[in-house]
Amino acid sequence: VQLVESGGGLVQAGGSLRLSCAASGFRFDDYAIGWFRQAPGKAREAVSSISTHDGSTYYVPSVKGRFTISRDKSRNTVYLQMNSLKPEDTAVYYCAAQWAQRHAGGSSWFPDGMDYWGRGTQVTVSS
């Protein structure tokens, strides 16, 4: 099982980045996939998720309206389009997968509830 993130980098405040999470080794449709982030000295926090059943999405309030999550089933890939980036968005962003039967949007999207993790990609937003 692999979740491989890409697309991180350094961007100025107000800029955009698109993260990708390529999944392999498990049936894509059986898992909700999404993102967490962890800034230095802080706990890992939920960012966004997308359901495999109906495509419903969850966003943490701090990114709502700026970030958009989407999935491409033909590529087994989930994307996170991040616009209007702020310095406080600086963190390592992790892709995660949760078995669909346990997924309930934001109420189930917490670190201990994930089944698989990627290794992370660094996002740095300069002021």
Side-chain angles (χ1 to χ4, degrees):
V1 172
Q2 275 195 315
L3 295 172
V4 179
E5 303 96 335
S6 61
L10 173 64
V11 64
Q12 288 189 328
S16 298
L17 285 172
R18 189 178 80 155
L19 305 184
S20 299
C21 173
S24 62
F26 61 91
R27 192 166 178 269
F28 192 69
D29 283 352
D30 286 345
Y31 287 82
I33 296 182
W35 299 87
F36 290 78
R37 66 186 179 185
Q38 188 165 19
K42 295 189 176 181
R44 191 168 297 190
E45 66 167 349
V47 176
S48 181
S49 68
I50 186 164
S51 166
T52 184
H53 289 312
D54 58 7
S56 59
T57 57
Y58 159 75
Y59 299 96
V60 68
S62 60
V63 308
K64 197 172 290 186
R66 300 188 297 122
F67 292 9
T68 303
I69 192 169
S70 61
R71 61 184 180 176
D72 184 340
K73 288 189 175 184
S74 68
R75 296 177 182 266
N76 282 7
T77 299
V78 170
Y79 303 97
L80 186 69
Q81 178 67 43
M82 305 187 296
N83 298 329
S84 303
L85 282 161
K86 304 175 181 180
E88 52 263 42
D89 294 317
T90 295
V92 178
Y93 282 69
Y94 296 91
C95 181
Q98 181 182 55
W99 188 44
Q101 298 301 315
R102 287 190 287 104
H103 183 66
S107 64
S108 69
W109 203 250
F110 50 87
D112 287 349
M114 299 301 107
D115 295 291
Y116 304 117
W117 289 95
R119 292 190 174 187
T121 185
Q122 176 70 45
V123 171
T124 303
V125 185
S126 63
S127 57

